[in-house]
């Protein structure tokens, strides 16, 4: 028999045990600043930013005359920090010097900023209308801007935006309950619905880490949820930003409203927690004295400092293709009658297809006489000879001379093979896809026969890996039935 005095403690213990079973797993409370090296700032009564390294504050920026609160901070690899502090933005050097500062126009607020190369920034200016602004620094010259959809209340429109690896701008539209992706032209490329999104950041392979109301979600670009953290389960009521570490852990900050809360340093609230993929709390940050870091909005690991020179927004500091060599730097050893020479011929009017009527290979869209003239011009430019007959003779003499066949031209019985480009042809039927032109192919055969004196029976047109379509075969065969055709499938006059 269980008496009432024994039953109540057992019932309480059972309830407590159930609470433990359903709560996130926890390790001993490690709440010091020693675990990570990080930059830290927050929205509070004081405009201040900290760099914590090896358990010590190595830099503290404090602006006693600063108006507004620090909503966003970005540490860069050059040691400078960009601050967005509600009524403006500034860049601070490691010596706590203000490199430049921009004041938000009256009636507007700025809560987020990103570097774009070494001489520009992009920020969201809350207002009526709200807009994204690209500004050249330190001149503070606006070089580009576009409007953003926004709610009425200026203060609650936007808190965070981040540039993506695609050169687009990811914007947390807190007032309208979505995260949007925008091109530099201001076009909305993508939208993800989320309640009161405070921040967004791109993580591993273009996935997004989004902080909304009582929620941290990692999603892919299709909106599929890859990880979800209900922050209320961890006692967090006001998360604003999150950062993913290299080991997969996620640090979520917890903002404390200094205007409504008296901080009890003896029983201090957490400023951030680190959560492992299995939900375990690996770290709680509580540092309200020695040092007093203040309210938490932004935590950025030092090893995730941003290289401003690699940040781009569309064409602003746009990425250039990586070249194997510098322009006009030849590779390898030049070959041919004029080593390394390539002849490019442009002849408007050779083809005039309207892009939608019939097929481009039809006679009505092509001018055979212009194609003939274009090919003759090409062999003359390649060889530097005054006419096509001399050009073909020069080509064959050079080839024979360099291949141990003596200083002579073409002789009957020697085969001349022309490799066509039929990369989009897998049958003999004509289609809309682009392959070698029937008209340019015929022009080449005409010049070889009429100018170069080559017997049609010595000419081979081939495409070993694809098919030679009817438009080429029929056009050449009708005029030169002795020419041989070799392709991958054979049949219908072609050799396999």
């Amino acid at each position: 028999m269980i008496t009432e005095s024994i039953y109540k403690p057992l019932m309480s213990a059972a309830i407590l045990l159930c609470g433990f079973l359903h709560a996130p797993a926890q390790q001993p409370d490690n709440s010091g600043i020693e675990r990570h090296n990080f930059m830290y700032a927050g929205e509070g009564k004081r405009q201040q930013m900290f760099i914590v390294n090896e358990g010590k504050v190595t830099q503290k920026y404090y602006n006693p005359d600063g108006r507004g609160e620090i909503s966003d901070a970005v540490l860069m690899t050059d040691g400078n920090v960009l601050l967005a502090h509600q009524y403006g933005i500034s860049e601070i050097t490691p010596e706590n010097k203000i490199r430049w500062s921009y004041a938000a126009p009256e009636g507007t607020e700025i809560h987020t900023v990103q570097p774009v190369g070494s001489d520009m920034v992009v920020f969201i200016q809350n207002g009526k209308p709200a807009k994204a602004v690209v500004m050249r620094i330190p001149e503070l010259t606006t070089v580009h801007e576009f409007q953003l959809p926004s709610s009425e209340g200026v203060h609650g429109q936007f808190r965070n935006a981040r540039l993506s690896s695609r050169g687009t701008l990811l914007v947390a539209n807190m007032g309208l309950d979505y995260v949007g992706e925008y091109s530099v032209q201001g076009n909305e490329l993508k939208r993800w619905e989320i309640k009161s999104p405070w921040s967004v950041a791109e993580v591993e392979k273009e996935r997004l880490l989004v902080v909304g109301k009582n929620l941290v979600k990692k999603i892919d670009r299709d909106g599929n949820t890859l990880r979800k953290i209900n922050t209320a389960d961890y006692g967090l009521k006001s998360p604003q930003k999150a950062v993913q570490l290299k080991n997969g852990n996620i640090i979520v900050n917890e903002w404390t409203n200094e205007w409504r809360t008296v901080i009890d340093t003896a029983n201090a609230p957490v400023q951030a927690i680190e959560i492992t993929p299995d939900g375990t709390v690996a770290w709680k940050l509580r540092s309200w004295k020695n040092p007093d870091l203040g309210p938490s909005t932004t935590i950025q690991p030092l090893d995730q400092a941003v290289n401003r020179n690699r940040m781009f927004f569309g064409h602003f500091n746009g990425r250039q293709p990586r070249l194997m060599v510098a322009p006009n730097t030849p590779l390898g050893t030049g070959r041919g009658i004029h080593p390394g020479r390539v002849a490019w011929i442009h002849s408007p009017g050779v083809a005039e297809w309207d892009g939608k009527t019939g097929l481009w290979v039809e006679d009505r869209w092509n001018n055979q006489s212009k194609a003939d003239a274009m090919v003759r011009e090409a062999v003359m430019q390649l060889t530097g000879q005054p006419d096509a007959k001399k050009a073909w003779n020069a080509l064959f003499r050079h080839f024979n001379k360099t291949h141990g066949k003596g200083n002579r031209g073409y002789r009957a019985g020697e085969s001349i093979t022309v490799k066509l480009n039929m990369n989009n042809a897998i049958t003999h039927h004509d289609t809309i896809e682009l392959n070698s032109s029937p008209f340019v192919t015929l022009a080449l055969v005409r010049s070889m026969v009429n100018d170069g004196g080559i017997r049609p029976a010595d000419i081979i047109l081939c495409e070993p890996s694809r098919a030679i379509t009817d438009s080429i075969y029929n056009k050449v065969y009708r005029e030169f039935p002795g020419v041989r055709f070799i392709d991958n499938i054979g049949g219908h006059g072609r050799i396999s």
Side-chain angles (χ1 to χ4, degrees), residues 194-215:
I194 186 167
K195 183 68 175 177
S196 300
W198 191 280
S199 64
V200 58
E202 186 182 65
V203 293
E204 55 186 56
K205 297 180 180 179
E206 296 192 6
R207 293 169 176 174
L208 306 183
L209 195 60
V210 183
V211 178
K213 186 175 182 180
N214 297 324
L215 186 68

Side-chain angles (χ1 to χ4, degrees), residues 40 165 202 257 337 347 357-358 374 411 464 473:
Y40 179 101
S165 59
E202 186 182 65
N257 189 333
I337 190 169
S347 181
T357 307
M374 184 172 68
R411 289 178 180 174
Y473 175 84

Side-chain angles (χ1 to χ4, degrees), residues 220-448:
D220 61 22
R221 295 188 65 84
D222 293 326
N224 299 311
T225 299
L226 307 175
R227 184 176 177 185
K228 181 177 179 180
I229 298 173
N230 293 310
T231 59
D233 292 345
Y234 297 87
L236 306 184
K237 300 179 181 179
S238 299
Q240 294 185 354
K241 294 185 183 179
V243 59
Q244 180 170 293
L245 305 179
K246 293 180 180 180
N247 62 5
N249 292 0
I250 292 176
I251 295 179
V252 185
N253 80 290
E254 168 69 350
W255 178 63
T256 300
N257 189 333
E258 283 191 316
W259 289 270
R260 296 180 180 178
T261 304
V262 177
I263 305 300
D264 177 9
T265 57
N267 188 25
V270 296
Q271 293 150 310
I273 62 172
E274 177 185 352
I275 305 171
T276 66
D278 66 3
T280 300
V281 175
W283 177 57
K284 291 183 178 180
L285 175 64
R286 285 189 179 93
S287 186
W288 294 94
K289 62 179 180 180
N290 301 321
D292 179 2
L293 299 183
S296 173
T297 297
T298 296
I299 293 181
Q300 179 185 349
L302 299 190
D303 62 5
Q304 293 187 21
V306 173
N307 187 336
R308 66 197 309 164
N309 294 314
R310 295 182 180 176
M311 303 290 283
F312 69 106
F313 186 26
H315 60 279
F316 293 108
N317 197 42
R319 293 182 177 179
Q320 299 299 318
R322 292 185 178 182
L323 302 178
M324 292 173 57
V325 292
N328 300 320
T329 305
L331 288 177
T333 302
R335 305 290 186 187
I337 190 169
H338 293 290
R341 177 180 293 185
V342 176
W344 292 82
I345 307 299
H346 175 223
S347 181
V350 170
E352 296 182 330
W353 183 45
D354 64 4
K356 55 187 178 182
T357 307
L359 298 179
W360 67 272
V361 297
E362 297 171 9
D363 288 353
R364 56 177 164 165
W365 306 119
N366 296 268
N367 187 314
Q368 186 63 59
S369 63
K370 286 190 175 183
D372 293 345
M374 184 172 68
V375 169
R376 287 195 298 269
E377 177 66 22
V379 293
M380 287 189 292
Q381 285 198 21
L382 183 64
T383 59
Q385 297 297 321
D387 60 59
K389 183 177 181 178
K390 292 181 178 179
W392 283 112
N393 184 57
L395 281 175
F396 292 128
R397 282 187 176 274
H398 176 267
F399 181 87
N400 286 330
K401 190 175 181 179
T402 55
H403 287 74
K405 297 182 181 294
N407 185 17
R408 63 172 181 83
Y410 157 79
R411 289 178 180 174
E414 295 177 330
S415 295
I416 312 297
T417 304
V418 178
K419 164 66 169 66
L420 302 178
N421 186 353
M422 308 299 295
N423 204 47
N424 297 301
I426 58 175
T427 72
H428 293 151
H429 300 297
D430 292 318
T431 63
I432 202 170
E433 285 81 15
L434 185 63
N435 296 294
S436 292
S437 164
F439 303 88
V440 175
T441 304
L442 176 59
L444 178 62
V445 175
R446 280 180 173 179
S447 185
M448 293 172 69

Side-chain angles (χ1 to χ4, degrees), residues 141-154:
T141 304
T142 297
V143 296
H144 182 64
E145 63 179 43
F146 58 85
Q147 293 186 15
L148 290 166
S150 58
S151 55
E152 281 296 312
V154 171

